[in-house]
Amino acid sequence: MKLSPYMPHEYWQPRDGSYYKPDIEKKFPKAVLQDALDTQKFIVGQKQSIYQQLIKGGFINAELMITSVIQDILQMADAPSNWRLQSKQRELIYYGDYMLTYAYTRFLEGSQTGKKARIMESACRAILKQFNEDIDFASKTGQEWFDAYLASIKTYQAKEGLDFVKANMPKAYLLLMLE
């Protein structure tokens, strides 16, 4: 057995409760402090992986579930912000590529300008931001955002080629394959 040249010098863990943040601040340099404090950093990716496995295994029908979640959000849309509404909005993000496919398909049909379109836009943008693929564009409707996003992808494709988009922009490539 070959021994590793790396040896631990110290074992440490922060205290709970109100001591947690000060303990982290004392231990980590400012350059990485925000990452050290972010206890939820990898949760979305993990949830997306779980949802993907459930869908591939046939335990969840993504189309039906996404439609249902959007309907729930629409019913709560005019209510003051609450944890249930935020939870439903996060749930759409957990569907990952399935949510993108759902929304991309509807946006490609055109005329998606109502509240449902804004919900789809919001979920898409949250997913795209995970991969640094969103565009900086303030839109009046979900369809307007989508059309600008699609145009920017086509510009990248024309300039760099489809292989570049596939290798560097997987969520954009997904859209191009649906078009």
Side-chain angles (χ1 to χ4, degrees), residues 9-51:
H9 294 279
E10 170 186 19
Y11 172 79
W12 171 86
Q13 69 183 55
R15 293 172 289 175
D16 289 338
S18 63
Y19 297 108
Y20 183 81
K21 184 177 179 190
D23 284 0
I24 296 291
E25 289 171 337
K26 287 178 190 170
K27 202 68 168 174
F28 288 87
K30 287 187 188 250
V32 297
L33 185 58
Q34 288 306 314
D35 281 340
L37 287 169
D38 187 355
T39 61
Q40 303 297 303
K41 186 171 185 169
F42 301 104
I43 295 294
V44 172
Q46 291 170 345
K47 290 254 189 181
Q48 287 171 333
S49 175
I50 291 166
Y51 275 56

Side-chain angles (χ1 to χ4, degrees), residues 50-109:
I50 291 166
Y51 275 56
Q52 183 177 23
Q53 290 173 41
L54 290 169
I55 293 165
K56 284 184 177 178
F59 298 102
I60 294 177
N61 180 319
E63 179 90 12
L64 290 175
M65 292 305 297
I66 291 169
T67 300
S68 175
V69 172
I70 290 173
Q71 289 305 315
D72 289 347
I73 293 170
L74 285 169
Q75 290 174 358
M76 293 184 266
D78 293 328
S81 182
N82 62 46
W83 68 269
R84 190 164 177 263
L85 175 62
Q86 293 168 358
S87 175
K88 290 290 185 180
Q89 291 167 329
R90 271 193 310 272
E91 187 176 346
L92 289 177
I93 296 164
Y94 299 155
Y95 285 98
D97 286 357
Y98 295 96
M99 178 63 219
L100 291 176
T101 301
Y102 179 97
Y104 288 169
T105 302
R106 282 147 184 84
F107 282 128
L108 285 168
E109 293 170 0

